[in-house]
Amino acid sequence: MSTIATIPTLRLDDVTKDFATGTRALSGVSLSVSRGEFVSVVGPSGCGKSTLLRLASGLDTVSGGTLEVDAAVTSFVFQDPTLLEWRSAQKNVELVGELAGVPAAERGRRAREALSLVGLDGFEKQHPRQLSGGMRMRVSIARALVAEPQLALFDEPFGALDEITRLKMQTELQRIFQLKSFAAMFITHSISEAVYLSSRVLVMSGRPGRIVDDIELPWSYPRPPELRYEPEFGRIAGRISKALEDHS
Ligand SMILES: Nc1ncnc2c1ncn2[C@@H]1O[C@H](COP(=O)(O)OP(=O)(O)O)[C@@H](O)[C@H]1O
Ligand SMILES: [Mg+2]
């Protein structure tokens, strides 16, 4: 345990979010995510998970409480890869640099490096329609990571993938997280995905979303896929499942 106090990358203190429609989406949410931490949020549909990420990304503002971000770059990965169909994988990833005015040679190099990081060497010239669902998501992740974010936000990125691809993507994301060590906030419906990937899992209640459980995972990285069959893994998944049932 270090005695040097570190500033969290993302910190929410007693955050409430009300929409103009009168809907209260979040109530009294306090949490923090620091560099090297992978925090998952699980909760029932409509409980305010996407709202939470939108607040963290600065796309929307809190109604009450405080939210602080200590990151020069924040990235966002959505469930839909949202790639531009008329641009190659390489050009989709380069878009970020283009918008930021990075010179062509440099942004080309960075995009190739990001595509390599997600295992897409040799697929640079392919267009989205020529890629599988898993590969499109890899491009989306490369595009998010090319700007070297300190805070990476993921909104159910693997929700639309088949089970086998999903497990592969979990292994990949874990490897990338270890390598880059950003602060990660990850929304998922899958309890086992949350337990496998996270250093901490937050469980949210039904709307208005509150945090009803906060579970520190006991394993270091990298984690073998077989961890999913360990009794401790099942015990923690059961605790999350119970918390979801009790607070839906
Ligand atoms: N822009 C908005 N205006 C009004 N209500 C919204 C808006 N965005 C989300 N909501 C409502 O807030 C609640 C939480 O939504 P959301 O954060 O998308 O939930 P989740 O991602 O957990 O499924 C829902 O009831 C939703 O209808
Ligand atoms: Mg959502």
Side-chain angles (χ1 to χ4, degrees), residues 38-237:
F38 196 108
V39 176
S40 286
V41 179
V42 295
S45 216
C47 77
K49 301 181 297 297
S50 294
T51 301
L52 184 62
L53 277 202
R54 287 175 57 82
L55 293 175
S57 70
L59 284 168
D60 206 345
T61 53
V62 303
S63 309
T66 56
L67 183 147
E68 290 167 281
V69 175
D70 182 40
V73 179
T74 298
S75 69
F76 209 131
V77 178
F78 303 91
Q79 178 170 334
D80 182 332
T82 59
L83 303 175
L84 300 176
E85 291 298 327
W86 61 91
R87 299 185 78 140
S88 64
Q90 168 84 19
K91 291 291 177 193
N92 264 284
V93 178
E94 273 194 45
L95 185 63
V96 180
E98 269 174 58
L99 297 174
V102 178
E106 176 62 12
R107 68 174 190 249
R109 190 189 63 75
R110 286 192 208 168
R112 273 189 300 280
E113 206 177 281
L115 284 166
S116 176
L117 180 71
V118 299
L120 285 181
D121 281 316
F123 290 91
E124 295 86 352
K125 292 203 169 73
Q126 308 281 309
H127 282 67
R129 66 177 172 281
Q130 298 170 303
L131 301 171
S132 68
M135 288 163 118
R136 283 197 292 272
M137 183 46 72
R138 285 171 197 265
V139 177
S140 176
I141 293 172
R143 183 184 53 192
L145 299 183
V146 73
E148 300 280 346
Q150 289 81 41
L151 177 62
L153 306 171
F154 300 88
D155 197 353
E156 299 189 46
F158 308 149
L161 302 176
D162 65 83
E163 186 67 12
I164 303 290
T165 308
R166 190 172 186 145
L167 295 180
K168 259 190 214 151
M169 293 303 296
Q170 289 171 14
T171 308
E172 285 291 296
L173 181 57
Q174 191 184 107
R175 180 181 58 78
I176 293 167
F177 168 67
Q178 257 199 291
L179 212 63
K180 296 290 175 181
S181 198
F182 38 72
M185 189 150 174
F186 187 92
I187 308 290
T188 178
H189 266 116
S190 163
I191 295 173
S192 72
E193 183 166 277
V195 177
Y196 180 67
L197 283 176
S198 312
S199 46
R200 198 145 52 88
V201 177
L202 305 176
V203 183
M204 279 176 84
S205 69
R207 185 165 56 84
R210 293 171 298 115
I211 292 173
V212 293
D213 205 356
D214 179 340
I215 302 159
E216 189 96 33
L217 283 312
W219 312 287
S220 59
Y221 299 99
R223 298 173 179 174
E226 300 75 36
L227 180 66
R228 297 187 179 89
Y229 311 120
E230 295 288 330
E232 181 68 356
F233 191 100
R235 200 187 60 73
I236 294 171

